[in-house]
Amino acid sequence: QVQLVESGGGLVQAGGSLRLSCAASGSIYSINAMGWYRQAPGKQRELVAHITSGGSTNYADSVKGRFTISRDNAKNTVYLQMNSLKPEDTAVYLCNANIQLYRWRSPRDFWGQGTQVTVSS
């Protein structure tokens, strides 16, 4: 079975930085796109940043210029560097990966358990 394990969340003051990591483990043939989503209390889950297997990225308008997504394909890991954090960035951040388990199987999405990011004003 595949697991996505996030780390790096925590409490930080406004203007500060955090770096999230998400490592995929298990029986994996290949990983396609990976991404970070977030969900604040009472709000819908939203895409924060997305990166393809080739390294192309896209970001939510609210985080452009402040957040950077990257990946290490050798480690099956995706990162999210978050700078200039704002209180409105407070949310549970979830990792997503589109993973092909076997050569003959279609890829599907997997999710991590989430990591809390809290930004105080």
Side-chain angles (χ1 to χ4, degrees):
Q1 186 56 283
V2 170
Q3 280 192 319
L4 298 182
V5 179
E6 298 112 332
S7 61
L11 173 64
V12 65
Q13 287 189 331
S17 299
L18 284 173
R19 188 189 193 215
L20 305 183
S21 300
C22 172
S25 63
S27 178
I28 296 172
Y29 175 72
S30 67
I31 301 179
N32 300 316
M34 304 182 83
W36 289 96
Y37 290 71
R38 66 187 181 187
Q39 187 161 20
K43 294 188 177 181
Q44 289 202 340
R45 185 175 297 183
E46 63 172 352
L47 175 67
V48 176
H50 175 270
I51 184 167
T52 68
S53 57
S56 297
T57 60
N58 68 282
Y59 298 90
D61 287 343
S62 59
V63 307
K64 281 181 181 176
R66 300 188 298 123
F67 291 10
T68 302
I69 189 170
S70 61
R71 64 191 284 173
D72 184 334
N73 291 330
K75 295 181 179 180
N76 289 339
T77 300
V78 63
Y79 305 95
L80 186 68
Q81 178 66 44
M82 305 185 293
N83 299 328
S84 302
L85 282 160
K86 304 175 181 180
E88 51 263 43
D89 294 318
T90 295
V92 174
Y93 283 69
L94 302 109
C95 172
N96 170 271
N98 187 256
I99 297 175
Q100 188 172 0
L101 299 182
Y102 305 102
R103 179 175 55 84
W104 57 89
R105 295 285 293 272
S106 297
R108 69 177 184 92
D109 282 348
F110 289 83
W111 291 88
Q113 80 287 352
T115 185
Q116 177 70 45
V117 171
T118 303
V119 184
S120 63
S121 57

